[in-house]
Amino acid sequence: MDFLQEIEPLKQAALAQMRGALDLAALEQARVDYLGSHGRFTALMKQLGTLPKEQKPSAGKTINAAKIALEAALSERRTELELQTALPKEPADFTLPGRRRPLGKLHPLTQVTEDIIRSFRKIGFAVADGPEVEDEYHCFDALNTPADHPARDTQDTFYLQNAESGSQLSTINPQLLLRTHTSSVQIRVMEKQQPPVRIIVPGRVYRRDNADATHNPTFQQVEGLYVDRDVTVGDLKGTVDFVFKELMGPETRIRFRPHYFSYTEPSFEIDFSSSLTRKMGKEWLEIAGCGMVHPQVFENVGYDPEVWTGWAFGFGIERIAMIRYGINDIRLFYENNLRFLRQF
């Protein structure tokens, strides 16, 4: 059989093996058998140089066309087999409902915070924010907290140290600390704007408490401030009554008890009573502190206390959440246990 007569049978044999390959491994074997460096078709192409000069053009044209056909068949079958490999091993029923990806949920403290913000926004309050690393002036001095107040002790407050020397910052450069309340934001807002001021300040605060069922060194707090002409305790009581009925239910009752805070005068503790407190076996439960802003605080921020009056209050967000959801250990909020968090 001469050279040209060998091309077509070899081509057909190669096509049959390639098209009949049942998987990618069999197809690769067919490629090696015919188009590999030692393949049968490759060997035939190497014989092209031994042909007489006058036969080379037609033989070269024929063998190149055969090679192109084999490579096309190889590529087509590889695509078919790769598609089959990618298909599911079992048939899919596309009429079945899809599997939804599980969605995350807001942390219970975030949910309560948003409820609080929503309630205050209904009566015209804006949300303010400020730094968690504070200086002593904004956290204590401007709030009329004297230097010998227990809250300023290192046993109660996290003071930061100078990173270079390892010693506490000097009095020339005011000591920095982790804020113990969000009242410092009230000072910063009043320093920047003239009354009227109507804000709430939710945020994280820090105190040197040992973690137990009712204490944590890090917790969430929300404070409020209202400054305008002729603001009275009646405005304070009406606002608190509205907000706690929104948060704890319409049957909630509020009462004020005299107390002392260095930055308000007069000052009060707020107790509330509802079905939630009765479930706990108590008629009244202390929930917040409040009072009329001390005139000295107004003077510290440049407000004239003869013209402006105002009130401030503050309470812990964890405490609200624990009462609402019947939780008896504050540490549960911070353990990131999904079995706990998925309940809310």
Side-chain angles (χ1 to χ4, degrees):
M1 183 181 297
D2 68 13
F3 184 82
L4 291 175
Q5 292 175 333
E6 292 183 33
I7 296 175
E8 187 61 25
L10 196 58
K11 170 188 167 183
Q12 295 302 325
L15 288 173
Q17 186 171 338
M18 290 176 183
R19 291 169 179 166
L22 298 178
D23 52 36
L24 291 171
L27 183 63
E28 176 62 16
Q29 186 60 52
R31 185 196 69 79
V32 171
D33 289 345
Y34 288 94
L35 296 176
S37 57
H38 300 290
R40 296 170 62 188
F41 203 84
T42 304
L44 190 64
M45 293 178 65
K46 291 179 181 178
Q47 297 179 26
L48 188 62
T50 63
L51 296 178
K53 186 176 180 180
E54 62 275 8
Q55 294 181 13
K56 286 183 179 180
S58 60
K61 183 178 179 180
T62 303
I63 201 167
N64 282 335
K67 182 181 179 184
I68 291 171
L70 292 180
E71 289 176 343
L74 182 69
S75 177
E76 180 181 355
R77 186 57 180 162
R78 180 179 287 111
T79 301
E80 292 174 354
L81 292 173
E82 287 175 347
L83 180 60
Q84 289 178 13
T85 303
L87 291 174
K89 298 293 185 284
E90 298 179 1
D93 184 353
F94 294 101
T95 66
L96 291 173
R99 295 186 180 91
R100 295 184 181 274
R101 292 188 177 183
L103 297 178
K105 298 175 67 177
L106 292 176
H107 193 279
L109 294 181
T110 303
Q111 295 182 40
V112 172
T113 301
E114 292 188 350
D115 287 344
I116 295 169
I117 291 172
R118 193 178 301 112
S119 298
F120 276 99
R121 278 182 168 159
K122 289 181 181 179
I123 50 178
F125 280 75
V127 178
D129 193 16
E132 294 182 13
V133 176
E134 265 295 359
D135 56 56
E136 284 193 305
Y137 175 77
H138 289 92
C139 200
F140 297 125
D141 296 332
L143 287 161
N144 199 37
T145 305
D148 59 352
H149 194 281
R152 302 182 68 158
D153 291 344
T154 56
Q155 291 91 340
D156 294 314
T157 300
F158 289 104
Y159 285 92
L160 303 183
Q161 291 184 329
N162 189 316
E164 295 180 0
S165 65
S167 61
Q168 289 190 335
L169 301 173
S170 67
T171 55
I172 299 175
N173 190 7
Q175 286 188 322
L176 298 180
L177 51 92
L178 297 180
R179 66 184 182 188
T180 58
H181 46 203
T182 58
S183 302
S184 56
V185 181
Q186 298 178 22
I187 297 297
R188 291 183 177 276
V189 170
M190 288 192 286
E191 287 176 336
K192 292 178 181 178
Q193 71 177 73
Q194 288 298 305
V197 176
R198 188 180 295 186
I199 60 168
I200 59 168
V201 189
R204 189 164 40 231
V205 297
Y206 307 85
R207 295 180 188 174
R208 295 182 71 123
D209 288 327
N210 293 322
D212 58 28
T214 56
H215 298 86
N216 203 63
T218 301
F219 60 98
Q220 310 289 318
Q221 189 181 57
V222 62
E223 298 202 14
L225 174 69
Y226 178 34
V227 180
D228 207 336
R229 299 179 189 271
D230 302 320
V231 175
T232 68
V233 173
D235 300 313
L236 168 59
K237 188 171 182 180
T239 301
V240 170
D241 186 68
F242 170 81
V243 170
F244 281 105
K245 283 183 176 178
E246 286 264 305
L247 296 175
M248 301 298 190
E251 81 287 358
T252 300
R253 293 183 296 152
I254 295 293
R255 73 179 183 186
F256 283 23
R257 287 182 291 105
H259 196 68
Y260 169 77
F261 297 109
S262 59
Y263 35 86
T264 54
E265 179 60 39
S267 304
F268 309 95
E269 290 277 14
I270 303 174
D271 298 336
F272 87 103
S273 175
S274 72
S275 59
L276 295 173
T277 62
R278 288 187 284 277
K279 284 181 181 178
M280 301 168 66
K282 299 179 180 180
E283 183 60 33
W284 294 95
L285 189 67
E286 183 240 310
I287 193 68
C290 65
M292 301 301 293
V293 179
H294 198 291
Q296 184 61 50
V297 175
F298 280 155
E299 291 183 4
N300 292 339
V301 297
Y303 288 5
D304 185 349
E306 298 297 325
V307 176
W308 306 107
T309 55
W311 52 254
F313 73 92
F315 56 87
I317 295 175
E318 284 89 344
R319 187 162 177 78
I320 298 293
M322 291 171 73
I323 295 170
R324 281 178 61 172
Y325 300 131
I327 298 167
N328 58 12
D329 194 326
I330 193 174
R331 292 169 291 189
L332 292 170
F333 290 121
Y334 297 98
E335 291 177 348
N336 293 325
N337 188 321
L338 291 179
R339 293 176 300 171
F340 170 76
L341 297 176
R342 284 172 180 156
Q343 299 177 65
F344 305 98

